[in-house]
Amino acid sequence: QGIGRPSVYHAVVVIFLEFFAWGLLTTPMLTVLHETFSHHTFLMNGLIQGVKGFLSFLSAPLIGALSDAWGRKSFLLLTVFFTCAPIPLMRISPWWYFAMISVSGIFSVTFSVIFAYVADVTQEHERITAYGLVSATFAASLVTSPAIGAYLSASYGDNLVVLVATLVAVVDIFFILVAVPESLPEKMRPASWGASISWEQADPFASLKKVRKDSTVLPICITVFLSYLPEAGQYSSFFLYLRQIIGFGSASIAAFIAVVGILSIIAQTVFLSISMRSIGNKNTVLLGLGFQILQLAWYGFGSQPWMMWAAGAVAALSSITFPAISALVSRNAESDQQGVVQGIITGIRGLCNGLGPALYGFIFFLFHVELNELPPDQTSGKKAMQDPSDEVSL
């Protein structure tokens, strides 16, 4: 079933639509969060993201293992559906929305299935380019969607924004049902869905024990954890920082997201490919981490708008890290273990998506940093309360 042969382009469309839907919600996100939790806003944001991230960490190896045995398409449908399920609840019931955000962490691991899908349909030498294309597509989905969401919110209200985001999510689900073919070869799948999956294969802690004994995968997992933990915490509050401290308006924030997104697309396609050919996989990861260190320091010590723009350009260059790491992990895994290894990496990122905002929220709580009032212009940034990513960000 599906349209044509399984290809990277099927994965690209799925990722684009999912994150485009969430990108539309950047305008109402902070408003709903502040209205629901008027006291200790950052702390509650951190707790919600912490629960979601921990659930993603627990579920990612299981979903990866199941997709290795039973195929990718069903789990693409499952992860996209539950990742997008909270969207219509934003206007129906904010409390149910935040509860669903937390619980959706169980299935918010679309990237692990997508990267396994890409590994199924590409040769090893093509994989880094394919991973870069998928990551660039994620960035592309956030180039225009925040600005579109801000315009619709200002002109027609938040209800229309939520409705449009819901429709985009429905289109994504329908696309998977109708157009996406199964990528896992039939010979690698059991005859029925009754095939057993060992607990050791699905248990995240057993997976970590296995990782600990692997001299190649262990350093990669540690790298992912140490690099993404500060990133995830930063993204939970960065655009609010631009708004309240640096003085960015809604137009400036939308332009910032668009410019960094476009630069990320270029970095994850052209720059990544050149780096892989010239300095190799490992050195490309190191280069991306170097840019990340510079970016975080620049964000932290910068005090002028031009410094934020410059740091954003460096952040775009640092976006080559994750596709380079995913390719490195994929090269060290068997063809029937792609879902498991990508699930482990995605699970660690999911854990960081929870621990980062929780850590930052606790620090803000200790130092009495509160969102006491919303500025008149409320279109604050991309990740006030979301990282569907399983997932990743600019």
Side-chain angles (χ1 to χ4, degrees):
Q1 297 181 359
I3 298 176
R5 296 174 60 84
S7 69
V8 176
Y9 300 105
H10 289 98
V12 162
V13 174
V14 171
I15 285 296
F16 181 85
L17 292 175
E18 177 180 333
F19 286 93
F20 188 87
W22 278 101
L24 290 170
L25 299 179
T26 58
T27 296
M29 193 71 68
L30 181 63
T31 304
V32 173
L33 177 64
H34 179 60
E35 290 176 350
T36 308
F37 306 109
S38 56
H39 301 289
H40 307 312
T41 307
F42 289 112
L43 182 63
M44 292 305 301
N45 178 37
L47 291 175
I48 292 167
Q49 292 285 15
V51 172
K52 178 184 177 183
F54 185 69
L55 291 176
S56 296
F57 165 71
L58 293 178
S59 66
L62 172 60
I63 292 178
L66 291 174
S67 74
D68 282 335
W70 296 341
R72 316 294 184 199
K73 178 171 180 173
S74 299
F75 291 96
L76 278 179
L77 183 63
L78 188 70
T79 55
V80 171
F81 176 82
F82 281 100
T83 298
C84 295
I87 292 176
L89 295 176
M90 177 181 283
R91 304 308 298 175
I92 297 173
S93 171
W95 284 98
W96 277 106
Y97 167 73
F98 289 118
M100 192 65 181
I101 281 279
S102 299
V103 176
S104 71
I106 298 174
F107 300 100
S108 293
V109 290
T110 307
F111 263 92
S112 64
V113 185
I114 282 290
F115 280 162
Y117 189 101
V118 170
D120 293 339
V121 301
T122 56
Q123 300 296 321
E124 185 175 305
H125 68 277
E126 304 171 324
R127 210 159 286 165
I128 184 63
T129 302
Y131 285 162
L133 180 61
V134 171
S135 296
T137 300
F138 164 78
S141 69
L142 295 174
V143 168
T144 56
S145 56
I148 293 173
Y151 172 76
L152 292 177
S153 177
S155 302
Y156 305 102
D158 289 346
N159 288 340
L160 180 64
V161 179
V162 175
L163 176 61
V164 173
T166 302
L167 292 176
V168 172
V170 170
V171 170
D172 197 12
I173 293 169
F174 184 75
F175 176 79
I176 296 172
L177 279 172
V178 175
V180 175
E182 177 57 56
S183 66
L184 194 66
E186 188 70 33
K187 63 183 179 181
M188 296 176 61
R189 283 180 278 153
S192 72
W193 271 58
S196 61
I197 300 294
S198 68
W199 170 246
E200 183 179 359
Q201 192 178 14
D203 177 16
F205 299 103
S207 300
L208 289 180
K209 292 177 184 176
K210 182 179 179 181
V211 166
R212 187 179 61 188
K213 300 175 182 178
D214 192 317
S215 60
T216 302
V217 178
L218 176 60
I220 296 174
C221 290
I222 295 174
T223 300
V224 171
F225 181 82
L226 293 178
S227 66
Y228 202 66
L229 182 65
E231 286 276 352
Q234 171 206 324
Y235 285 130
S236 68
S237 56
F238 176 63
F239 290 92
L240 179 61
Y241 171 78
L242 288 182
R243 156 72 65 189
Q244 297 196 156
I245 305 301
I246 304 299
F248 274 38
S250 61
S252 297
I253 289 176
F256 184 91
I257 295 172
V259 169
V260 175
I262 292 171
L263 292 176
S264 296
I265 295 169
I266 297 172
Q268 293 170 16
T269 51
V270 179
F271 183 59
L272 177 62
S273 179
I274 294 173
S275 298
M276 289 292 292
R277 288 197 302 267
S278 58
I279 62 176
N281 204 154
K282 179 180 176 180
N283 288 330
T284 299
V285 174
L286 290 173
L287 182 62
L289 292 174
F291 282 127
Q292 182 190 12
I293 293 171
L294 179 58
Q295 160 222 334
L296 291 172
W298 211 334
Y299 278 150
F301 293 106
S303 59
Q304 300 296 324
W306 72 265
M307 296 180 181
M308 298 299 103
W309 285 99
V314 177
L317 292 174
S318 73
S319 67
I320 65 174
T321 305
F322 185 60
I325 287 177
S326 297
L328 193 59
V329 170
S330 179
R331 287 178 176 178
N332 288 277
E334 300 296 330
S335 59
D336 61 345
Q337 295 289 308
Q338 292 293 329
V340 173
V341 295
Q342 297 296 346
I344 292 172
I345 297 299
T346 301
I348 291 174
R349 287 174 65 86
L351 185 63
C352 292
N353 281 332
L355 291 178
L359 178 62
Y360 274 54
F362 184 65
I363 292 172
F364 291 154
F365 174 73
L366 289 178
F367 287 91
H368 307 290
V369 178
E370 276 300 326
L371 182 60
N372 294 321
E373 62 180 15
L374 284 172
D377 189 357
Q378 294 177 341
T379 53
S380 180
K382 169 174 75 90
K383 288 199 79 142
M385 188 54 212
Q386 114 234 24
D387 188 356
S389 119
D390 42 16
E391 317 251 310
V392 251
S393 84
L394 293 180

